[in-house]
Amino acid sequence: MTRAVVLNNKNTDLSVGTAETDKAEVDEDYAFDEVDGVATTDVVDKGSDSKKGGNKQIMESLRRRSKRFEKYRPRKYGMALRMKESQMLDDAPMTTHLHSIITGLEHSGTTITGRLVMNAPCLVGATETGFLLADSPQDIGDVYPWYSWNIDDGKDTDKKKMMYLLSPGAYEKMKAARNFSEMYYILRENSHLFNNLNDKYDDGRECEKPTRIVDKTPRYVRPQYLEKILIKTPGVPVLILKKPLKETRIGLTKEEYDEVFDNVRKMMKKYPGRIKMLYYEKFMENPEKVMGEVFEFLGLTWKDEYLKMTGLKQKFSVYPEVAKQIGAW
């Protein structure tokens, strides 16, 4: 039987640029998702008369939450709020499925930053995702090369263990999704990354499966995409890497480079609290301090040992050859 825990519903400032958490008596590293004062690891069983009131409260809270996404911030290590496909997919907060987005110009440090973030419990993502470049879930088959990167075509499967390895059937289900929130739900249910990795910890605790998604895709930062992606993913925090033009090595002119980050600044003003900029030079000077700030923004707890990729290596320990390839920062 799923249990619902009523928390002390204390005030939380959700308007600032860092993800604040309620000061409830909940374990700091493994807090439950919390919706208007009710914490739960699953939707309460409708079949139990004693739980009907709690279930109704959760569902009504989700409906209200869906109308004010921009005020929602992810809780620390929130467990995924699991729902059946027939339940509330249109109203489920995007943050139930997608934890965060990492983007920035190519070769600006998005890969290493993504891996550092994925050290945190209950989070993971492919080397690149790219699906939000499509106008709708029905169009994800046209997103090249991300669609082909993430399909399980039976070729070089071992080399693709850090990709989603989706079956053709899973892709068809994703294309049939009514919206991107439902598409991410189907992705979580069907990819090995969210269901097969090692999320058991020494103290006996274990992440609920499927775990939540970190979508790391450099292309999202381009001006023609960024605002569209912010609109598609209400409430999801976005981390943007910025590296000096002379070190990007992608052939942009100064005007093109300035256009990208002028637009980023514009979006930061238009969507306050949604975006954090990570500057490459500061990151290189003091990675512990910078990543601590990044983790706070994302509602996570930083550990210096993550620079050695301890959390990510543990997750991929089910694939020993892949774990060996994950080097320290």
Side-chain angles (χ1 to χ4, degrees):
M1 179 66 67
T2 304
R3 60 195 179 112
V5 183
V6 178
L7 302 181
N8 295 324
N9 192 15
K10 299 185 179 182
N11 293 330
T12 304
D13 182 6
L14 303 177
S15 62
V16 297
T18 58
E20 298 291 331
T21 54
D22 291 339
K23 307 300 184 182
E25 295 295 327
V26 179
D27 183 273
E28 180 179 351
D29 289 346
Y30 293 85
F32 297 110
D33 270 343
E34 180 269 335
V35 182
D36 289 349
V38 176
T40 180
T41 57
D42 204 339
V43 176
V44 179
D45 183 9
K46 287 186 176 181
S48 171
D49 291 337
S50 64
K51 298 296 184 181
K52 284 183 179 179
N55 186 65
K56 182 177 180 181
Q57 182 182 357
I58 292 170
M59 288 304 175
E60 184 59 35
S61 296
L62 281 171
R63 291 189 185 96
R64 293 197 302 271
R65 181 74 74 184
S66 69
K67 295 178 181 179
R68 58 178 194 271
F69 279 117
E70 294 304 325
K71 295 182 179 180
Y72 178 78
R73 304 297 295 165
R75 268 50 178 178
K76 285 190 177 182
Y77 296 150
M79 295 298 191
L81 183 65
R82 301 285 303 280
M83 289 186 284
K84 296 178 181 179
E85 290 188 41
S86 61
Q87 289 179 309
M88 297 295 294
L89 284 175
D90 279 332
D91 290 335
M94 174 67 77
T95 45
T96 297
H97 313 302
L98 178 61
H99 176 272
S100 50
I101 294 171
I102 298 174
T103 186
L105 291 173
E106 292 80 354
H107 307 294
S108 62
T110 55
T111 297
I112 189 64
T113 303
R115 290 187 176 185
L116 287 168
V117 170
M118 292 176 207
N119 277 279
C122 312
L123 301 175
V124 76
T127 302
E128 287 198 23
T129 300
F131 298 140
L132 291 173
L133 297 172
D135 290 331
S136 71
Q138 291 72 38
D139 301 317
I140 61 174
D142 300 326
V143 176
Y144 180 83
W146 294 271
Y147 183 88
S148 59
W149 284 349
N150 283 293
I151 196 167
D152 184 3
D153 56 6
K155 300 177 182 178
D156 298 323
T157 300
D158 289 340
K159 295 181 180 180
K160 294 182 177 180
K161 285 294 197 300
M162 295 191 77
M163 303 302 285
Y164 293 125
L165 278 177
L166 294 163
S167 69
Y171 257 133
E172 290 306 310
K173 290 180 181 179
M174 289 169 62
K175 290 178 185 178
R178 293 167 290 178
N179 49 54
F180 279 101
S181 182
E182 184 173 340
M183 186 208 73
Y184 277 115
Y185 171 89
I186 297 168
L187 171 60
R188 292 173 62 225
E189 292 291 324
N190 287 275
S191 173
H192 73 112
L193 288 182
F194 310 107
N195 297 280
N196 297 352
L197 300 189
N198 179 15
D199 284 299
K200 296 181 181 179
Y201 295 88
D202 293 339
D203 59 8
R205 288 178 291 185
E206 181 177 0
C207 294
E208 182 183 347
K209 303 294 180 68
T211 52
R212 290 203 290 176
I213 301 170
V214 176
D215 184 337
K216 173 256 174 181
T217 307
R219 188 69 57 87
Y220 291 167
V221 78
R222 301 286 179 150
Q224 66 266 40
Y225 299 119
L226 184 56
E227 184 167 20
K228 292 179 181 179
I229 286 166
L230 289 166
I231 293 170
K232 292 172 186 173
T233 59
V236 176
V238 179
L239 182 64
I240 297 180
L241 281 290
K242 184 178 182 181
K243 196 174 188 179
L245 174 61
K246 62 182 180 181
E247 298 183 36
T248 57
R249 299 181 292 121
I250 56 174
L252 287 183
T253 66
K254 184 179 185 304
E255 289 73 21
E256 292 170 330
Y257 177 87
D258 289 342
E259 181 185 7
V260 169
F261 290 103
D262 286 347
N263 183 65
V264 170
R265 284 186 284 272
K266 178 181 177 182
M267 293 300 103
M268 292 177 76
K269 291 181 180 178
K270 189 170 182 179
Y271 300 90
R274 285 287 306 277
I275 298 172
K276 181 176 179 62
M277 192 92 79
L278 193 163
Y279 296 92
Y280 180 77
E281 302 98 320
K282 293 183 179 179
F283 177 56
M284 294 299 292
E285 289 172 1
N286 194 338
E288 294 91 345
K289 180 177 183 296
V290 170
M291 289 310 300
E293 294 170 353
V294 166
F295 269 53
E296 182 180 3
F297 171 71
L298 297 177
L300 305 172
T301 300
W302 169 253
K303 298 179 181 179
D304 288 349
E305 67 183 57
Y306 290 162
L307 291 176
K308 298 180 180 179
M309 299 294 174
T310 53
L312 193 60
K313 288 180 179 179
Q314 174 182 311
K315 292 176 184 180
F316 279 93
S317 62
V318 295
Y319 306 128
E321 294 303 315
V322 176
K324 290 178 183 178
Q325 298 171 15
I326 300 174
W329 178 80

